[in-house]
Amino acid sequence: MKKILLVLMCLMMCGCYDYKELNQISIIGGIGIDYDNEYIVSLEIINDKKTSEGDSDSVKTATINGTGKTFVEAFNNAIAKVDRDPYFYQMQVLLISENAAVKGLNEVFDYLLRESKINNSFYTVVTKDTTPQEVFQINSLTEPVASSKIVKMLKDGSGDIKFNKNDEFDLLVGKYVKQGIDISLVALEMEDGEIAFNHMAIFNGDSLITFLNKDDSITYNLLTNKSEGIYLTSEDNVVALFGNKTKKEFKDGKIVITFTADATITEVQDNIDFKDLSVYSKLSQEFSKTMQENIENLIDHSRNYNADILGLGQLIYADKPNSYQKGIGLKVLVEVNASINVNKNGITFEVIK
Amino acid sequence: MITKRQYVITYYYLVRALFFGAATSYLINTTGNACYLSAIIGIGLGLGFSYLLYYINKVKEEKKIVDYVGRGLLANGIKLLLLLIGVVLLNNVLVSISTMAYAFYLVSTPVIFITLAIAIVIYYALKKGIKGFLRAIEILFPLSIIIFILKFSTVFEAMHLDNFKPWLNSDLKSILKGSLVFFSNTITPGILMLNFQKSDYEYKNNALGYLLGSGTILFVLILIIGIFGMPLARMLRYPEYMILKKVNILNFIENIENFLTIVLIIDNLVVGVLATFLVRDVVKSWVKKEKIIKWWDIIFLLGMCLVSVYLFNNHYANILRLYRYEYILMLGLSLSLIGLILWQIKRLDQ
């Protein structure tokens, strides 16, 4: 009996029933979704084969496209063209073209969240003035896989616009289904053949409304993200912000946004004396005012676009769920208090004249 | 024979087991943001129920519950309820592990193979006897605690206070229903503790095991709501598995959810093994034929595999019924059983 049991356990518990070797699977780095009268789904496949002898490190990618009337049909048509078993667990990014984002993302979110073979820890990016197919085909010397490059730039890069730690797909859907907040996604552009991030795509419900301008996008990132070293310009002076904190609360019938950050002087007019203590408070006041104006502009613009990207409605819903109405966050009075504390000047006392 | 430490550890495993699968999801769906309040009320009720279990164990002394109740109509009624509880719990174990494995890991493996693999593990534990099994889970206990601490400490950062708001946005009826769901799912596996022979432990051991198990469930509920927020947590089928995906140790170790799930599977296997032990003891008290007893475990486990696959896994409507009504069934069975046992104790005293 023990022998039979042992044989059965060897056969059934070794996990080899439906295993697949690495050469039997196609690792998908990213999925792209475009829309032009029908859905176009692109799969970025990471090719792990050696390209030539002694060139074992080179990884090339291939892009396979599928089309269909619905997203799922296009997705399945793309999968059908892959010669090996598609493996989505290493998927890093979902690229959505402007057209597809305008069409609406409900179907896409629903399918990808439900599908068990797709890991939900990838990031979502909207492509502006370019298509996902074009992005997947870029040739970069530093990072041959476009999906990895995008994620590395937005997670570890030094750009002004970055992923929020809560931008992973499942948490993004969590935000999308919440009351009183509209989603916003990082927008990707191509500048001289290289990937660049200068804007945020903002949504109303599941449809793309517009792209924020660069200043608004940076302000949005400062308000929602832990951003280190983002530059803030006021007249001829520039400071780098760090340790930023945002507090939003709903009290006495209005929303109060309090923003605080420390700042390091980066560039100043040549008549400034760093040994003079009043310089710091003067600069602090100047940049606090600039930041306050930036936040007010962002709120005005989001009101104009009818997209509650700062989740002002969510604050009202959290406090008074019974009196909450859709869009109330865009109508309520907002008070902004910004405080920038300029307290570092680098390693010199004087400006070169 | 069970030591005090083994008693506490076994109770800890039993209390947690059913919260892998339907119970967590149903509790969140029922109570919404106030699920942790339901859990706290449920813990209070559960501590009361644990006292009843302690009392029965104290009265029955060195005997197993099946032997203690003796013969007669009432005794047979008690045994039938014990049998039903064993069957319901084992079915829950087989369905929840196989459904989860089929959904996340072994998508192209026939479910019957997954279920049979679980049955083989349970059978192996039965063959080793209760003593060996208790020693094994005692050894696995530190792993369970380490993984819980690891999970809680690394995922804690991803929580947002805003996700809990609006605070307690549920009506009293939902909160009470949620506390019954919590109570039912934590106390029913505890019935399996009646089948142990030694009873030298005190109520504080009983309460400690229950509080440890239910406390970890409460923390997991808080993590789920804090990370996903209520609308998303309601949508997910295995939210307790999904939070494991967020475990990230110093940006160095990530994507270890499959390894961490082992703890949830061990919880369920403890219930599966003890439920099969209980059913065997009940059948032994009824059937005296050696041949049947010898083959009973295999026949029973195979039968349960077929039931769980062909009645539940292959019929989503039945899984949905299990999801919605199992807590009522378990609550009914557990309370009736305890009532009948207390009645029998009174009769035997006279």
Side-chain angles (χ1 to χ4, degrees):
Chain A
M1 191 63 198
K2 274 184 183 171
K3 283 174 189 165
I4 297 169
L5 203 63
L6 196 68
V7 172
L8 274 175
M9 284 175 86
C10 287
L11 284 173
M12 297 182 72
M13 304 185 72
C14 58
C16 298
Y17 176 81
D18 53 0
Y19 83 104
K20 292 224 163 51
E21 293 283 2
L22 199 58
N23 59 6
Q24 289 175 295
I25 58 171
S26 289
I27 299 168
I28 310 292
I31 297 178
I33 306 167
D34 194 6
Y35 186 81
D36 185 10
N37 290 323
E38 59 180 357
Y39 279 98
I40 306 159
V41 169
S42 311
L43 304 176
E44 187 193 36
I45 298 171
I46 301 167
N47 181 6
D48 55 338
K49 281 185 180 168
K50 288 181 183 179
T51 49
S52 62
E53 202 156 325
D55 192 17
S56 59
D57 288 339
S58 83
V59 178
K60 291 275 165 68
T61 62
T63 309
I64 285 182
N65 301 318
T67 56
K69 281 178 190 164
T70 63
F71 163 68
V72 179
E73 190 185 330
F75 184 72
N76 288 332
N77 286 339
I79 286 176
K81 291 179 186 170
V82 182
D83 53 355
R84 292 182 282 182
D85 193 24
Y87 182 76
F88 290 92
Y89 225 71
Q90 294 295 325
M91 181 183 157
Q92 297 190 67
V93 72
L94 171 69
L95 294 182
I96 300 167
S97 75
E98 207 173 325
N99 289 344
V102 169
K103 179 92 173 62
L105 298 179
N106 213 32
E107 190 190 350
V108 176
F109 282 175
D110 184 58
Y111 178 76
L112 294 179
L113 186 71
R114 188 179 296 121
E115 183 53 64
S116 62
K117 65 187 171 198
I118 296 172
N119 188 2
N120 289 328
S121 304
F122 58 86
Y123 292 91
T124 310
V125 171
V126 174
T127 59
K128 183 175 184 284
D129 303 326
T130 182
T131 62
Q133 298 98 299
E134 286 168 0
V135 176
F136 285 146
Q137 279 160 8
I138 59 155
N139 280 315
S140 172
L141 290 172
T142 51
E143 178 54 71
V145 181
S147 302
S148 299
K149 185 180 170 74
I150 294 165
V151 173
K152 278 180 186 167
M153 283 176 80
L154 288 168
K155 272 177 95 174
D156 309 322
S158 54
D160 291 339
I161 294 171
K162 281 186 160 189
F163 281 139
N164 192 311
K165 68 177 177 184
N166 294 316
D167 277 348
E168 285 182 2
F169 180 72
D170 49 358
L171 299 180
L172 175 75
V173 176
K175 194 169 158 186
Y176 169 68
V177 292
K178 261 185 194 167
Q179 295 277 14
I181 187 163
D182 287 309
I183 57 167
S184 53
L185 296 170
V186 176
L188 179 154
E189 290 165 276
M190 298 296 282
E191 280 182 1
D192 305 323
E194 281 298 328
I195 290 170
F197 303 100
N198 296 319
H199 303 277
M200 294 295 297
I202 60 170
F203 289 72
N204 183 333
D206 72 332
S207 300
L208 174 73
I209 300 292
T210 188
F211 293 94
L212 290 178
N213 63 38
K214 188 164 185 178
D215 287 343
D216 281 345
S217 300
I218 293 171
T219 308
Y220 175 79
N221 259 264
L222 279 167
L223 286 174
T224 56
N225 225 340
K226 274 236 170 296
S227 307
E228 297 289 320
I230 287 187
Y231 295 110
L232 184 65
T233 308
S234 175
E235 294 173 10
D236 292 336
N237 304 324
V238 183
V239 290
L241 301 180
F242 59 95
N244 57 315
K245 282 181 190 156
T246 306
K247 191 179 169 194
K248 290 181 283 181
E249 53 188 341
F250 177 64
K251 59 180 183 186
D252 305 329
K254 65 179 177 184
I255 287 169
V256 181
I257 299 177
T258 311
F259 177 86
T260 56
D262 291 329
T264 304
I265 295 164
T266 310
E267 186 183 337
V268 282
Q269 291 160 341
D270 57 8
N271 56 356
I272 280 181
D273 178 7
F274 287 139
K275 290 172 195 161
D276 181 2
L277 282 176
S278 66
V279 163
Y280 295 96
S281 58
K282 206 172 151 190
L283 283 172
S284 294
Q285 276 175 11
E286 182 186 324
F287 280 102
S288 297
K289 195 179 162 205
T290 306
M291 190 62 204
Q292 182 150 338
E293 284 168 5
N294 288 355
I295 297 171
E296 283 165 354
N297 284 342
L298 174 66
I299 293 167
D300 284 345
H301 293 159
S302 65
R303 276 180 178 153
N304 293 342
Y305 300 131
N306 199 25
D308 189 359
I309 51 172
L310 290 174
L312 305 178
Q314 194 189 2
L315 296 172
I316 300 167
Y317 177 73
D319 195 55
K320 291 189 170 94
N322 295 331
S323 59
Y324 170 80
Q325 290 166 335
K326 201 174 184 318
I328 195 170
L330 297 167
K331 294 170 194 158
V332 74
L333 185 69
V334 181
E335 182 186 313
V336 178
N337 301 313
S339 169
I340 308 278
N341 181 23
V342 181
N343 61 0
K344 283 195 173 80
N345 59 2
I347 55 169
T348 59
F349 268 135
E350 287 181 17
V351 182
I352 298 171
K353 293 176 185 173
Chain B
M1 175 73 183
I2 180 169
T3 64
K4 280 182 188 176
R5 192 163 69 177
Q6 283 172 342
Y7 190 94
V8 174
I9 292 170
T10 313
Y11 205 15
Y12 160 82
Y13 276 116
L14 293 177
V15 168
R16 287 159 44 90
L18 299 191
F19 280 82
F20 174 54
T24 311
S25 176
Y26 190 70
L27 180 62
I28 291 171
N29 264 292
T30 309
T31 356
N33 265 11
C35 65
Y36 49 89
L37 187 67
S38 291
I40 292 167
I41 299 170
I43 289 173
L45 293 172
L47 281 174
F49 190 87
S50 292
Y51 185 79
L52 290 177
L53 289 182
Y54 161 72
Y55 172 73
I56 294 168
N57 263 332
K58 202 176 151 191
V59 171
K60 75 180 177 58
E61 292 180 335
E62 293 289 320
K63 288 179 182 168
K64 287 183 176 183
I65 189 70
V66 176
D67 301 328
Y68 174 75
V69 292
R71 291 170 183 277
L73 190 65
L74 189 57
N76 281 332
I78 292 170
K79 285 176 192 174
L80 182 67
L81 286 175
L82 285 169
L83 182 87
L84 286 174
I85 287 173
V87 169
V88 169
L89 288 175
L90 184 62
N91 181 58
N92 193 309
V93 167
L94 295 174
V95 171
S96 56
I97 301 183
S98 57
T99 314
M100 195 267 178
Y102 181 68
F104 289 105
Y105 310 125
L106 306 167
V107 280
S108 53
T109 305
V111 190
I112 186 76
F113 275 31
I114 303 169
T115 319
L116 280 173
I118 304 162
I120 290 174
V121 176
I122 294 174
Y123 185 71
Y124 183 76
L126 290 173
K127 282 278 145 199
K128 288 285 158 194
I130 191 79
K131 207 175 165 186
F133 177 70
L134 290 174
R135 183 77 193 113
I137 58 173
E138 200 177 355
I139 292 165
L140 288 169
F141 180 67
L143 179 75
S144 177
I145 292 293
I146 289 168
I147 289 183
F148 174 74
I149 294 169
L150 188 79
K151 181 169 73 178
F152 196 74
S153 56
T154 60
V155 174
F156 189 78
E157 202 194 7
M159 282 174 58
H160 284 278
L161 198 60
D162 290 344
N163 285 334
F164 293 98
K165 294 176 185 172
W167 301 103
L168 306 177
N169 186 31
S170 305
D171 55 62
L172 187 66
K173 199 178 154 191
S174 310
I175 293 174
L176 290 177
K177 188 182 169 187
S179 57
L180 280 183
V181 172
F182 189 92
F183 173 65
S184 166
N185 281 290
T186 50
I187 54 115
T188 310
I191 302 267
L192 300 174
M193 299 301 289
L194 292 175
N195 213 30
F196 291 117
Q197 283 169 304
K198 188 74 178 173
S199 57
D200 67 341
Y201 66 93
E202 294 160 23
Y203 177 61
K204 67 178 181 189
N205 302 116
N206 211 324
L208 179 64
Y210 185 81
L211 281 175
L212 268 178
S214 52
T216 52
I217 301 165
L218 178 63
F219 278 123
V220 170
L221 286 172
I222 291 171
L223 281 181
I224 291 169
I225 306 296
I227 292 170
F228 294 128
M230 188 43 61
L232 182 63
R234 275 197 163 130
M235 289 166 76
L236 298 171
R237 246 181 110 177
Y238 287 93
E240 66 279 26
Y241 170 78
M242 299 303 274
I243 54 165
L244 295 179
K245 288 190 170 195
K246 304 286 166 208
V247 172
N248 181 334
I249 304 164
L250 304 170
N251 284 331
F252 180 63
I253 300 170
E254 47 190 346
N255 296 331
I256 52 169
E257 65 272 14
N258 293 349
F259 164 70
L260 299 180
T261 314
I262 192 79
V263 176
L264 302 171
I265 292 172
I266 290 170
D267 294 346
N268 271 269
L269 284 175
V270 172
V271 171
V273 173
L274 293 181
T276 318
F277 268 121
L278 178 72
V279 171
R280 182 166 72 181
D281 286 340
V282 172
V283 173
K284 246 183 177 177
S285 73
W286 280 336
V287 182
K288 298 296 171 198
K289 281 188 179 174
E290 281 286 319
K291 249 187 181 176
I292 296 176
I293 298 296
K294 196 180 168 189
W295 290 96
W296 168 256
D297 291 336
I298 294 176
I299 296 164
F300 175 62
L301 284 170
L302 277 176
M304 287 305 296
C305 285
L306 294 175
V307 167
S308 69
V309 173
Y310 295 106
L311 203 63
F312 291 98
N313 273 310
N314 291 354
H315 295 279
Y316 183 69
N318 287 343
I319 289 190
L320 209 58
R321 285 188 191 107
L322 205 64
Y323 173 78
R324 281 185 189 155
Y325 307 117
E326 196 187 27
Y327 85 97
I328 301 172
L329 176 69
M330 290 194 304
L331 195 64
L333 288 174
S334 307
L335 295 180
S336 316
L337 176 77
I338 295 297
L340 287 183
I341 293 174
L342 291 175
W343 188 13
Q344 181 74 336
I345 288 171
K346 204 176 164 190
R347 279 185 62 191
L348 291 173
D349 271 355
Q350 288 165 356

